[in-house]
Amino acid sequence: MNEEEIYQEHVLDHYEDPYQKGTCPGATHAHEEDNPLCGDVVRMELKIDDEGKIADVWFDGTGCCISLASASMLTEKLHGKSVDEAKAFAADDMLTLFGARLTPNRQKCCLLPWRALQAAMFSPTTDESQK
Amino acid sequence: MATMHFDPATLLADFPILAQEVHPGVSLRYLDNAATTHAPRQVLDSIRDTMERHYANVHRGIHALSEQSTELYENARGKLQAFLGAEHAEEIIFTRGTTESINLVARSWGDANLKPGDEILLTEMEHHANLVPWFQAAERTGATVRCAPITDDGQLDMEAFKSMLTTKTKVVGVVAISNVLGTINPLEEIIATAHAVGSVVIVDGAQQAPHQHVNLAELDTDFYAASGHKMLGPSGIGILYGKRELLQTMPPFLGGGSMIRRVTTEGFEPAELPTRFEAGTPPIVAAIALGVAIDYLKKIDLNAVEEHERTLTVAAQDRLQALGGVRILGPSPDKKVGIVSFVVDGVHAHDIAQRLDSHGIAVRAGHHCTMPLHKRLGVAASSRASFYIYNTQEDVDCLVSAVEDTQRFFRKRK
Ligand SMILES: Cc1ncc(COP(=O)(O)O)c(C=O)c1O
């Protein structure tokens, strides 16, 4: 595959100027995933409201262009969606959202934030009282 | 054997796989030799020739093909014995590679000899292949694994190593040449000091056997492991060397056919060396092909190879460093061989490898099966260029300009 297809403008835009990179104020759910193979780490923090909507979502982490760009795309995509919609957002949907075609090895980079987000929805932060 | 004049550009003609375009109009520049090397035509011909004319199971049939196969297979063992300077042919055990060789020792020698209170002394720069089997052995036997530290420039801290070496130490495991740093470890000193406290030594020679003259009898190591696929051979074949007296006392590792002398319904009697450790049908074709790879290496002067690789290493390091924003891992080129691992400020190793690939350059990106070492160096991942006999100064030129281009690519957008 030609790498120029991977580093498309929209990928680089997300990498350099990510959507909601940082910590989520009043997060109710959070999860961190890593890829020990390349040392990438992505943490997803969500604020899920009483109606089961993702009222806020932020990511943070270190990684390659692919994993950080996909984290940015994912938070942008699911911000304001319902938890049910987010749970239904499958790995294939993530690869489609990413756009650029990826080899199987790089798909792992792309899916790291998605794995973190899927797990985060099942991982309430221990400090429930601050909700 | 007479050695021929060593000229990488001429040798290249023997390696059909290297003469290809990996993307339209982009020629391959293969710099991932520490992961695996490519095979010359002679080795490829051997694989075909064995299968077409001589192939049958070894040590079994009383028929012409089985006799031919057995002879070729045992000849290959003899070639490795001579190449590595082992005293006896039966000290060379064919395995699938370095990983299996180390597992064999950890299982067979380890389980029979280790007990609670004993220590296994390794180093911070070991490949996972020389770490995990020992952690597993420690779990089974109650022994403890310790790792000797490295210095900031990526050499084994010999003072610390010696202070950790005590009469509790039963086995020392050390990599001859680090697959990330390229560091050449002082094996003679390590082996002598380990023997002085009564420890056995296993050397991970995966990155040494392809690049340096090895004389196992002189080296006096107890065990030595290497992989055929890193020295012009096919994958699926490697060797374990063990001193005969030691191997003779060790229980078999895998059980099955070939490794027995006699089986009754009550039990079995293990075979003599080396088949005692070669249960089942071995990788016959691969072993014979590795023998041909050894023939090829013997025609080249390995001292000249080491010198050539050092010249490429110096050039690559100097020029990458001159770009600015590039950190080279490991010691200065006079203390290493053939391997240049580097980190580029602000660009992840994966992105480097991907961009380099678009220039046709194959490098490895990640932790290269050395997670403890990367943690010690304080980097999550690195990119690694590694050289072999067929690499040229032109490959270095391409590498440096592609890294520069990658820096520009990620910088210009900021
Ligand atoms: C230093 C070192 N040890 C062990 C290994 C493992 O070799 P293999 O995968 O052939 O068993 C390698 C190769 O990756 C290596 O570089």
Side-chain angles (χ1 to χ4, degrees):
Chain A
M1 184 195 308
N2 185 332
E3 62 83 34
E4 300 300 348
E5 293 171 42
I6 292 182
Y7 298 109
Q8 291 173 3
E9 283 299 312
H10 77 280
V11 173
L12 290 164
D13 288 345
H14 274 281
Y15 175 59
E16 280 155 19
D17 190 13
Y19 182 79
Q20 307 250 95
K21 184 164 189 269
T23 52
C24 177
T28 59
H29 290 70
H31 184 77
E32 190 173 291
E33 274 287 325
D34 67 347
N35 183 351
L37 261 180
C38 48
D40 289 5
V41 184
V42 171
R43 180 177 175 82
M44 282 281 176
E45 296 188 351
L46 317 173
K47 187 171 173 188
I48 298 176
D49 67 16
D50 295 338
E51 279 129 55
K53 207 175 71 167
I54 298 176
D56 207 358
V57 51
W58 291 72
F59 81 94
D60 211 345
T62 54
C64 64
C65 178
I66 308 301
S67 60
L68 295 184
S70 73
S72 167
M73 292 178 197
L74 183 65
T75 47
E76 184 180 41
K77 173 82 181 173
L78 296 181
H79 195 173
K81 294 281 192 308
S82 73
V83 169
D84 288 342
E85 284 173 294
K87 284 181 182 165
F89 192 78
D92 272 348
D93 299 323
M94 181 67 235
L95 294 173
T96 308
L97 174 67
F98 190 79
R101 274 192 303 127
L102 296 171
T103 56
N105 279 332
R106 301 298 318 257
Q107 286 181 10
K108 289 183 199 143
C109 307
C110 178
L111 292 175
L112 178 67
W114 174 83
R115 285 197 288 126
L117 185 104
Q118 291 298 328
M121 289 185 284
F122 295 94
S123 314
T125 51
T126 42
D127 204 2
E128 276 287 83
S129 58
Q130 292 202 351
K131 209 163 115 173
Chain B
M1 189 184 302
T3 54
M4 63 184 187
H5 175 65
F6 168 61
D7 174 23
T10 322
L11 290 187
L12 256 177
D14 287 334
F15 294 82
I17 195 169
L18 297 176
Q20 66 172 301
E21 294 185 348
V22 278
H23 306 297
V26 180
S27 303
L28 172 63
R29 302 266 167 198
Y30 188 78
L31 298 177
D32 196 15
N33 293 290
T36 198
T37 56
H38 287 297
R41 219 176 277 283
Q42 290 82 341
V43 170
L44 306 178
D45 289 347
S46 149
I47 292 171
R48 185 174 191 104
D49 184 58
T50 303
M51 290 302 285
E52 266 185 3
R53 296 173 50 216
H54 311 294
Y55 182 73
N57 213 328
V58 292
H59 301 309
R60 295 186 189 174
I62 312 287
H63 57 76
L65 288 187
S66 180
E67 303 286 5
Q68 287 175 30
S69 263
T70 305
E71 189 181 337
L72 288 168
Y73 180 73
E74 290 304 326
N75 279 348
R77 193 190 310 277
K79 289 176 187 179
L80 277 138
Q81 176 208 347
F83 185 69
L84 297 173
E87 217 170 317
H88 311 284
E90 68 266 32
E91 293 180 318
I92 303 289
I93 313 288
F94 281 124
T95 64
R96 277 195 303 133
T98 304
T99 303
E100 186 180 307
S101 299
I102 297 172
N103 274 277
L104 191 164
V105 174
R107 277 268 173 195
S108 170
W109 183 91
D111 286 12
N113 291 282
L114 294 170
K115 56 183 190 313
D118 289 348
E119 289 183 359
I120 300 163
L121 182 55
L122 310 172
T123 82
E124 255 178 357
M125 66 171 95
E126 295 311 303
H127 187 281
H128 295 169
N130 205 19
L131 289 169
V132 181
W134 295 113
F135 285 123
Q136 292 176 308
E139 252 170 47
R140 291 192 302 271
T141 63
T144 309
V145 173
R146 303 186 71 193
C147 279
I150 59 166
T151 60
D152 288 337
D153 76 337
Q155 298 188 70
L156 186 57
D157 182 339
M158 282 305 287
E159 286 312 305
F161 172 81
K162 286 181 194 164
S163 73
M164 294 171 81
L165 194 62
T166 69
T167 49
K168 284 192 206 161
T169 313
K170 291 291 156 10
V171 54
V172 168
V174 63
V175 68
I177 294 178
S178 158
N179 64 312
V180 174
L181 307 165
T183 309
I184 302 168
N185 279 318
L187 291 182
E188 284 82 3
E189 191 183 355
I190 290 168
I191 292 165
T193 48
H195 284 168
V197 300
S199 173
V200 302
V201 179
I202 178 163
V203 172
D204 172 350
Q207 301 294 345
Q208 183 187 40
H211 304 276
Q212 283 188 327
H213 266 301
V214 177
N215 187 310
L216 291 171
E218 267 173 34
L219 190 61
D220 197 31
T221 181
D222 300 285
F223 299 106
Y224 190 93
S227 297
H229 69 92
K230 293 185 199 288
M231 45 199 306
L232 306 180
S235 61
I237 186 75
I239 60 105
L240 170 70
Y241 159 86
K243 282 186 184 160
R244 190 164 65 177
E245 318 82 81
L246 266 172
L247 290 176
Q248 275 166 345
T249 63
M250 285 161 49
F253 169 46
L254 298 174
S258 290
M259 53 69 70
I260 40 84
R261 207 164 94 80
R262 187 193 337 266
V263 179
T264 65
T265 48
E266 277 77 51
F268 73 95
E269 229 180 277
E272 296 298 314
L273 296 175
T275 44
R276 178 194 193 84
F277 292 105
E278 293 180 359
T281 300
I284 301 164
V285 181
I288 296 168
L290 176 57
V292 175
I294 297 299
D295 291 340
Y296 193 94
L297 285 174
K298 283 182 85 165
K299 278 192 293 175
I300 304 169
D301 176 7
L302 275 188
N303 290 327
V305 170
E306 196 181 335
E307 221 23 67
H308 169 66
E309 289 175 2
R310 186 158 288 122
T311 307
L312 297 182
T313 304
V314 171
Q317 295 208 171
D318 286 355
R319 293 174 53 196
L320 284 174
Q321 240 145 7
L323 295 177
V326 179
R327 173 183 168 197
I328 308 274
L329 308 180
S332 54
D334 56 313
K335 300 189 182 69
K336 58 153 77 175
V337 68
I339 289 172
V340 180
S341 292
F342 58 98
V343 178
V344 178
D345 289 349
V347 189
H348 192 282
H350 274 182
D351 296 321
I352 306 241
Q354 189 94 52
R355 286 288 302 182
L356 260 49
D357 176 68
S358 70
H359 292 264
I361 301 169
V363 295
R364 177 99 183 256
H367 56 56
H368 324 302
C369 298
T370 56
M371 289 175 86
L373 174 60
H374 274 76
K375 182 152 186 251
R376 165 66 177 84
L377 297 170
V379 296
S382 59
S383 306
R384 177 184 71 189
S386 49
F387 305 112
Y388 206 28
I389 53 173
Y390 36 63
N391 290 118
T392 61
Q393 202 68 44
E394 226 182 305
D395 294 334
V396 175
D397 296 343
C398 287
L399 171 72
V400 175
S401 67
V403 170
E404 191 177 16
D405 170 73
T406 304
Q407 285 181 314
R408 230 181 288 123
F409 180 81
F410 283 99
R411 202 183 286 140
K412 74 162 190 276
R413 303 182 39 95
K414 295 254 151 130

